[in-house]
Amino acid sequence: MTSIGGAASAGMVDWNLAVATATRLVRPGPEVSRDEARAVVAELRRHAESSEEHVRSFTRMATDAGRDTPVLVVDRAGWVRANVAGFRELLKPLLDKMQDRRGGGPGNAMLGAVGGKVTGVELGMLLSFLASRVLGQYETFAPPSRDLPAAPDGGGRLLLVAPNIVHVERELDVDPHDFRLWVCLHEETHRTQFTAVPWLRDHLEGEIQSFLAETDVDPMTVLERLREAASSLAGNGRAEEDDEGGRSIVELVQTPAQREVLGRLTAVMSLLEGHADFVMDGVGPAVVPSVAEIREKFKERRAKGASRLDLALRKLLGLDAKLRQYRDGERFVRAVVEQVGMDGFNRVWTSPNTLPTKAEIARPADWVARVHRKAES
């Protein structure tokens, strides 16, 4: 296995051990025959290709044809490898900063090596939990590798996690062909967002790096959050705490400056997730015959989670915020489209200045007033 950690950041997290731990612990996928597995992969590729035209037509967003973002149908281990590579890319500045803060010396070097392995194991445990739950993902900051290609110049890649899609379609007892296309429509919308809006990736990366640059926290505090999450996975008493109690990893590392950045990031992520849900529902009736049944069953599944363990981990990792982003963002997009139409909504992609604020996500009319009245005055 090729090393996927920089010299400094490798001391804080043993990335290779994280991959090894996650792939060893991740639960096996649903039972399928070899022929069925091939058929699922082929169908997902076809749906991803057909979704591109459906999404472009509905959103009226013209993508850059020269920006070739690959579609990868992966298993759970493939999803783990891709995400570890992405985490390593994004978190390297923060981990380097934490490494510098800890200082050098033989004693610290030894502690760092041990701590990096502990953190690698704990990160692997978390990834093994998440790897069985993600249906698809547009990887915005995907470094290319031989096994996991990405678009040139950091353009990203689209992942579809085949065993998870099969698992959920069976769990919900919905038409598998419709469900696979429905999932592809959501993920293709994310790919369209980034390929049609050239400045969006750099803007998002800049905001994330601003957030990380403002982090002023003892490394042990972050490691303790990881240990709490890993303890939840192990099933000890922390998993049974009221999910309204405690704070997420994200909340712990916020300074006042970070709270401002996080507010902007929350608004952008709400927009992107809500837009994908809106498009998925908008395109669905024309191309997915059973879309109403799928949507209703999936909303119920998303809302209740699988167990109290899920609820505890969602709180700790900040995943409950992601669920709100789907809901609040979709309401924003729907309200704006109702007021000013799709072309009017698409002004949101003009520049970072036309993105909604966190307050405007909750009050779409304020965004319409700011962006449209300003443009018309």
Side-chain angles (χ1 to χ4, degrees):
M1 182 183 294
T2 304
S3 174
I4 51 175
S9 58
M12 298 300 299
V13 181
D14 188 329
W15 297 106
N16 293 329
L17 185 55
V19 171
T21 300
T23 53
R24 185 176 71 252
L25 295 179
V26 70
R27 293 183 298 177
E31 291 188 12
V32 294
S33 68
R34 182 168 296 183
D35 287 344
E36 185 179 2
R38 289 197 187 105
V40 170
V41 170
E43 184 172 24
L44 287 172
R45 292 189 186 282
R46 289 196 305 272
H47 284 333
E49 184 176 352
S50 66
S51 293
E52 187 173 359
E53 183 54 38
H54 293 314
V55 171
R56 285 184 186 180
S57 176
F58 183 80
T59 63
R60 304 178 193 173
M61 297 174 72
T63 58
D64 183 351
R67 206 164 170 79
D68 184 19
T69 53
V71 176
L72 307 179
V73 182
V74 298
D75 58 11
R76 291 169 176 175
W79 179 88
V80 167
R81 291 194 298 272
N83 276 267
V84 166
F87 288 157
R88 175 254 177 177
E89 191 86 356
L90 269 184
L91 296 178
K92 186 177 184 300
L94 173 62
L95 295 177
D96 287 347
K97 179 179 178 180
M98 293 168 68
Q99 180 84 358
D100 292 342
R101 176 170 176 171
R102 188 172 59 192
N108 282 331
M110 183 178 297
L111 287 172
V114 173
K117 290 188 180 301
V118 171
T119 308
V121 169
E122 290 167 344
L123 179 60
M125 291 175 69
L126 293 178
L127 287 170
S128 72
F129 169 80
L130 296 171
S132 62
R133 285 155 172 77
V134 176
L135 301 181
Q137 174 183 351
Y138 183 77
E139 279 205 298
T140 315
F141 311 106
S145 68
R146 184 180 61 185
D147 298 330
L148 294 164
D153 304 321
R157 59 187 166 224
L158 182 62
L159 303 180
L160 297 168
V161 190
N164 296 349
I165 292 172
V166 172
H167 171 77
V168 174
E169 70 193 27
R170 291 179 179 178
E171 179 187 348
L172 298 182
D173 190 25
V174 293
D175 182 278
H177 309 293
D178 284 3
F179 184 75
R180 294 165 194 173
L181 176 55
W182 189 73
V183 171
C184 287
L185 289 170
H186 182 100
E187 302 308 332
E188 177 58 41
T189 302
H190 286 315
R191 184 165 67 155
T192 296
Q193 290 163 348
F194 285 93
T195 54
V197 186
W199 55 264
L200 183 58
R201 179 193 181 277
D202 290 342
H203 171 72
L204 192 58
E205 182 176 25
E207 292 283 57
I208 292 171
Q209 293 305 330
S210 294
F211 180 85
L212 295 177
E214 288 292 334
T215 297
D216 185 19
V217 64
D218 184 86
M220 293 309 298
T221 305
V222 177
L223 298 186
E224 179 60 26
R225 294 300 96 185
L226 284 173
R227 291 192 178 97
E228 287 188 18
S231 296
S232 294
L233 284 176
N236 75 8
R238 291 179 189 265
E240 297 301 320
E241 292 176 358
D242 181 357
D243 77 299
E244 293 300 319
R247 292 187 291 172
S248 72
I249 292 172
V250 171
E251 290 171 321
L252 270 177
V253 298
Q254 286 182 61
T255 64
Q258 280 181 307
R259 280 192 285 273
E260 291 185 18
V261 178
L262 191 62
R264 296 194 298 268
L265 275 171
T266 299
V268 173
M269 298 311 296
S270 296
L271 171 69
L272 298 180
E273 296 293 357
H275 183 235
D277 266 12
F278 177 79
V279 172
M280 183 170 58
D281 288 348
V283 174
V287 297
V288 182
S290 60
V291 65
E293 177 192 3
I294 292 172
R295 185 66 165 134
E296 184 61 30
K297 289 183 175 180
F298 195 78
K299 280 175 67 176
E300 290 177 5
R301 180 182 186 274
R302 180 189 280 173
K304 70 182 181 181
S307 65
R308 280 192 63 82
L309 178 58
D310 266 355
L311 293 174
L313 282 168
R314 285 196 330 215
K315 174 64 180 178
L316 185 60
L317 299 175
L319 299 181
D320 52 343
K322 186 173 178 65
L323 298 179
R324 289 194 297 272
Q325 287 167 10
Y326 285 104
R327 183 186 65 237
D328 297 344
E330 196 274 341
R331 278 201 296 250
F332 169 83
V333 175
R334 185 173 302 280
V336 171
V337 171
E338 286 175 355
Q339 290 184 57
V340 295
M342 185 64 75
D343 290 335
F345 165 79
N346 280 339
R347 289 192 188 180
V348 78
W349 312 117
T350 303
S351 76
N353 293 330
T354 57
L355 291 172
T357 65
K358 188 176 179 181
E360 287 170 341
I361 288 288
R363 295 191 296 274
D366 290 355
W367 179 87
V368 171
R370 176 172 66 86
V371 172
H372 283 263
R373 289 178 188 170
K374 182 177 180 180
E376 293 163 2
S377 61

